[in-house]
Amino acid sequence: MYDTLIGNVLVLDGTGEAAYRASVALADGRIAAIGDLPGAAARHIFDGTRLALAPGFIDVHTHDDTNVIRTPDMLPKLSQGVTTVVVGNCGISASPVALRGEPPDPMNLLGARADFSYPTFADYTRAVEAARPAVNVAALVGHTALRSNHMDRLDRAATREEVLAMREQLRDALAHGAIGLSTGLAYASAFDADTEEVKLLAEALDEFGALYTTHLRSEFAAILDAMQEAFDIARHARVPVVVSHLKCAGAGNWGRTKEVLSTLETAGRLQHVGCDCYPYSASSSTLDLKQVTDEFDIDITWSVPHPEQARRKLADIAADWGLSLLEAAARLQPAGAVYHNMHEDDVRRVLSHRLTMVGSDGLPNDPMPHPRLWGAFPRVLGHYSRDVGLFPLTEAVHKMTGLSASRFGLAERGLVQEGYHADLVLFDPATVIDRATFAAPVQTAAGIEAVWVNGTLSYRQGESTGDRAGRWLPRSGDLRKNFS
């Protein structure tokens, strides 16, 4: 007898190939059988007649590092069909970290000082396993986190001795299953790191066949130079590179995704490359004075010195205070912001590209989060695939499952295939949609009928079941073999 039988369902298997109708049986946390399965018996039976079954979505770009431990129910992700999160992006990670004071910007996006209690990567993996979050967790190591461990201040390049100390810490993390290294070179805490610093650090990746991911040094006018720097670092380290949340930010940069994607493809003929993006034309991070402009709206989501200004536009705050935008922003810091800095045509162009995976880049500790935290994956399925017709549903699912699992070395996940771990999402293709908005961002998606994590029913018809079955996922194999 099977544990679960999902009968007569439209299977989107994660490969991008044509969908097909079948019954899918689960047993002992795995996909036990796929086919007609006449007379099959199971403890729990689901009628999939009007529904689709896909691999659980893999969020390759998250900042859930401390949340998978502090808030292990992970409802913002589970409710949209996400069964695996990759943490440690943009150069910031919860481990290995030993803070001397408050977490530097943007590490403060991950939590307060007390939330950084994992001086070694092994400490972090043990904490994840003990917390038993509702989703699986894989992790990158953040360059800025390493810098904060070994440098007296971050507004300079590291010395060779400091980089070598960072590299040993990175090697230890890689030996304990880290997927690779991430950088956030656009942020003030890493901007003064020169290319040679990152190259020397990234050399550790080669030994383990790990991955280099990067929030580029610039997503604005200098984006092509920033991309070339990323390619040079990865080529030096002889490892694949994933460009994080690829975009053309700033009104003067709109329309340049044709050029940017052409550059990505050209690099892909010489080395292993990829990218991720989120399906929105606004970004979100800490309030960065370098991004303050009157070319687009900037919404303040939180402010430590002026919490009463949250949920307001920076321009309105500046007008009330009789200050320039830059002066008002400086007074609000530290703070968070949503930047409406992209063009919809560019978003669609990047999202539909064959090299692109989907990542939410959601900020779970933001009191007024960008709606991508709760809605990114259903938005791809419902808005961009079904309503806009940007790509077929099979391709949408591939970008969120099979492609992601392969690139990030998540063994036996990302496909509906016999013997694979039973990370699955059952949804209604006709009604699935994001409901989170900029005005009301904390809303579950519509059309997500059920979610299984490692064979355990974890979410059903709008509610968590309370059964948490996520696992720590170490890197599997040499990731260079997974790029084409």
Side-chain angles (χ1 to χ4, degrees):
M1 177 178 286
Y2 297 115
D3 296 329
T4 302
L5 181 68
I6 306 161
N8 192 36
V9 72
L10 183 68
V11 177
L12 302 156
D13 67 5
T15 64
E17 299 298 321
Y20 60 90
R21 194 160 290 279
S23 293
V24 178
L26 316 182
D28 300 321
R30 301 262 182 172
I31 299 172
I34 304 172
D36 292 339
L37 308 182
R43 295 178 182 86
H44 306 284
I45 297 176
F46 291 77
D47 180 9
T49 302
R50 296 185 301 276
L51 304 173
L53 186 72
F57 305 138
I58 298 169
D59 192 343
V60 297
H61 194 106
T62 84
H63 297 290
D64 296 320
D65 302 53
T66 64
N67 298 80
V68 294
I69 298 167
R70 293 187 292 118
T71 54
D73 59 292
M74 293 300 292
L75 190 61
K77 297 301 170 68
L78 197 63
S79 65
Q80 54 181 308
V82 171
T83 58
T84 297
V85 297
V86 178
V87 302
N89 284 279
C90 293
I92 58 175
S93 59
S95 73
V97 171
L99 293 175
R100 298 181 182 89
E102 294 302 312
D105 185 307
M107 284 177 63
N108 52 4
L109 290 172
L110 304 183
R113 182 178 182 178
D115 300 318
F116 292 84
S117 56
Y118 317 105
T120 72
F121 196 77
D123 291 331
Y124 181 72
T125 65
R126 285 191 290 267
V128 171
E129 289 172 339
R132 187 101 170 161
V135 297
N136 303 308
V137 182
L140 297 155
V141 173
H143 171 225
T144 297
L146 296 174
R147 297 186 102 230
S148 73
N149 292 341
H150 296 281
M151 299 177 66
D152 57 346
R153 66 180 211 269
L154 302 179
D155 60 342
R156 63 172 175 84
T159 65
R160 179 177 176 83
E161 290 71 24
E162 288 167 338
V163 180
L164 292 177
M166 293 182 218
R167 194 168 71 178
E168 283 308 301
Q169 208 165 26
L170 174 59
R171 287 189 75 259
D172 177 75
L174 293 168
H176 284 89
I179 292 172
L181 172 71
S182 76
T183 57
L185 299 176
Y187 291 107
S189 52
F191 188 78
D192 288 297
D194 57 28
T195 306
E196 293 308 310
E197 173 181 323
V198 185
K199 282 184 176 179
L200 183 58
L201 178 58
E203 287 174 358
L205 302 173
D206 182 27
E207 176 185 350
F208 295 88
L211 188 69
Y212 175 56
T213 75
T214 181
H215 177 151
L216 296 170
R217 197 177 290 274
S218 176
E219 296 172 327
F220 292 80
I223 186 170
L224 295 184
D225 291 338
M227 291 176 72
Q228 189 58 56
E229 179 186 38
F231 301 148
D232 289 347
I233 291 167
R235 190 161 52 247
H236 174 80
R238 299 183 293 193
V239 296
V241 57
V242 171
V243 178
S244 297
H245 43 57
L246 183 60
K247 66 173 75 72
C248 285
N253 221 24
W254 291 346
R256 292 187 66 202
T257 49
K258 292 179 182 177
E259 186 181 2
V260 164
L261 291 169
S262 176
T263 299
L264 189 71
E265 288 186 348
T266 299
R269 291 195 283 269
L270 303 172
Q271 62 189 115
H272 302 308
V273 302
C275 66
D276 66 65
C277 81
Y278 46 82
Y280 298 86
S281 60
S283 65
S284 181
S285 187
T286 52
L287 180 57
D288 178 9
L289 299 185
K290 292 188 297 183
Q291 294 192 56
V292 172
T293 178
D294 60 2
E295 293 179 342
F296 47 77
D297 285 339
I298 300 174
D299 303 328
I300 301 302
T301 61
W302 57 271
S303 169
V304 171
H306 294 282
E308 74 282 0
Q309 300 300 335
R311 298 174 179 253
R312 300 191 66 203
K313 294 189 183 304
L314 176 60
D316 294 339
I317 298 169
D320 286 352
W321 287 349
L323 300 176
S324 70
L325 289 177
L326 198 60
E327 290 169 334
R331 183 182 287 188
L332 289 164
Q333 287 183 313
V338 168
Y339 306 88
H340 296 269
N341 59 1
M342 286 172 268
H343 194 283
E344 176 66 16
D345 290 348
D346 287 322
V347 173
R348 295 184 184 192
R349 199 171 289 123
V350 174
L351 184 60
S352 61
H353 195 274
R354 64 180 181 84
L355 292 174
T356 303
M357 299 169 285
V358 175
S360 73
D361 197 16
L363 302 177
N365 300 306
D366 196 317
M368 184 67 173
H370 188 300
R372 65 195 182 187
L373 177 67
W374 288 82
F377 292 81
R379 182 171 176 81
V380 172
L381 298 172
H383 176 66
Y384 282 109
S385 177
R386 182 191 61 228
D387 299 341
V388 175
L390 191 61
F391 35 56
L393 194 57
T394 51
E395 185 177 344
V397 168
H398 175 59
K399 287 175 171 291
M400 305 191 296
T401 58
L403 180 62
S404 307
S406 176
R407 292 272 174 83
F408 281 79
L410 307 178
E412 298 180 334
R413 297 182 193 272
L415 300 178
V416 180
Q417 183 171 309
E418 289 184 10
Y420 270 47
H421 297 281
D423 295 340
L424 298 165
V425 55
L426 185 68
F427 66 94
D428 186 341
T431 64
V432 66
I433 197 69
D434 58 308
R435 291 189 290 203
T437 66
F438 288 101
V442 181
Q443 296 194 67
T444 59
I448 302 294
E449 296 293 320
V451 181
W452 291 265
V453 181
N454 295 303
T456 297
L457 181 64
S458 302
Y459 182 84
R460 187 175 188 187
Q461 295 179 338
E463 294 185 359
S464 170
T465 66
D467 292 327
R468 305 200 308 264
R471 298 175 186 170
W472 162 251
L473 302 184
R475 182 191 69 259
S476 178
D478 189 331
L479 304 190
R480 287 169 286 215
K481 299 176 182 178
N482 302 340
F483 281 70
S484 58

